[in-house]
Amino acid sequence: MLIERDHSLLLLVDVQERLVAAMAESDSLISNCALLLKAASRLGVPVLASEQYPQGLGPTIPVLRDLLPQDAIHAKTAFSCAKDQALAARLFGGARKQVVIVGIEAHVCVLQTALGLKAAGLAPSVVADATTSRKMASKAVALDRLRANGVEVVTSEMVVFEWLGRAATDEFRELSKLVR
């Protein structure tokens, strides 16, 4: 199934100050999350973001927070965004059934969110190069488990080009520069 801009939303999971510092491949995570946030903004794809216990783990990192819409961020204590009342209302309450998931940690909040959304009838896709864990082995097992449970595992470029759908547009010319 293609990820379509008119049917999807982007969910940024827990990319917070104190968590990012402990993650493997954090630079790649940040740049790919930023790419997807910029593409979502340009293409009119709604964005939501979660912060796991922000009093203890800090807010979303500034470079990404600055790319988020004003009302996008929701604090949570449940690991799964699907189990948080405010996030669930936004995720399940609209017409968009495809959820593109990025963030941390792959084997905890990202995994539980994707499995919860899938169980509730939505179509989650986890962006492999825009998620990470403290240990790469944990991320690898999480991605394997997601695939085994029918969750799409994609890359940030796949998402951008599926959202675009075709070349020879101003959007394509603008966004293709970001992936080079």
Side-chain angles (χ1 to χ4, degrees):
M1 161 182 59
L2 289 175
I3 301 168
E4 299 179 49
R5 72 171 109 172
D6 294 334
H7 300 289
S8 64
L9 64 85
L10 178 62
L11 176 61
L12 178 75
V13 178
D14 305 347
V15 185
Q16 295 164 252
E17 292 175 349
R18 291 194 186 102
L19 290 174
V20 169
M23 295 300 123
E25 299 182 344
S26 61
D27 290 343
S28 177
L29 165 85
I30 294 165
S31 65
N32 287 320
C33 287
L35 165 67
L36 289 168
L37 287 167
K38 290 173 186 174
S41 176
R42 176 64 174 94
L43 298 172
V45 175
V47 175
L48 292 174
S50 67
E51 292 179 344
Q52 180 70 29
Y53 186 64
Q55 306 91 304
L57 298 174
T60 300
I61 60 171
V63 68
L64 299 181
R65 187 174 56 239
D66 291 346
L67 297 172
L68 290 169
Q70 200 68 12
D71 66 341
I73 299 175
H74 296 272
K76 67 178 179 67
T77 55
F79 294 125
S80 172
C81 293
K83 299 277 186 185
D84 178 84
Q85 188 174 11
L87 278 163
R90 303 247 341 241
L91 289 163
F92 301 123
R96 294 179 183 257
K97 303 302 179 198
Q98 297 177 336
V99 182
V100 177
I101 304 169
V102 300
I104 52 183
E105 283 190 73
H107 67 290
V108 184
C109 296
V110 170
L111 175 94
Q112 290 184 35
T113 295
L115 293 178
L117 296 177
K118 175 90 173 158
L122 297 182
S125 297
V126 172
V127 185
D129 60 355
T131 188
T132 194
S133 293
R134 293 168 208 269
K135 297 177 184 174
M136 293 309 293
S138 296
K139 175 184 172 180
V141 171
L143 295 178
D144 288 344
R145 185 171 172 202
L146 288 164
R147 286 184 195 99
N149 281 277
V151 173
E152 295 278 332
V153 176
V154 297
T155 67
S156 55
E157 283 193 37
M158 286 178 179
V159 174
V160 170
F161 287 106
E162 288 177 35
W163 278 346
L164 283 166
R166 59 192 196 119
T169 65
D170 290 339
E171 295 165 333
F172 171 79
R173 283 185 280 283
E174 182 181 331
L175 293 176
S176 64
K177 291 175 188 173
L178 297 177
V179 298
R180 291 187 188 141

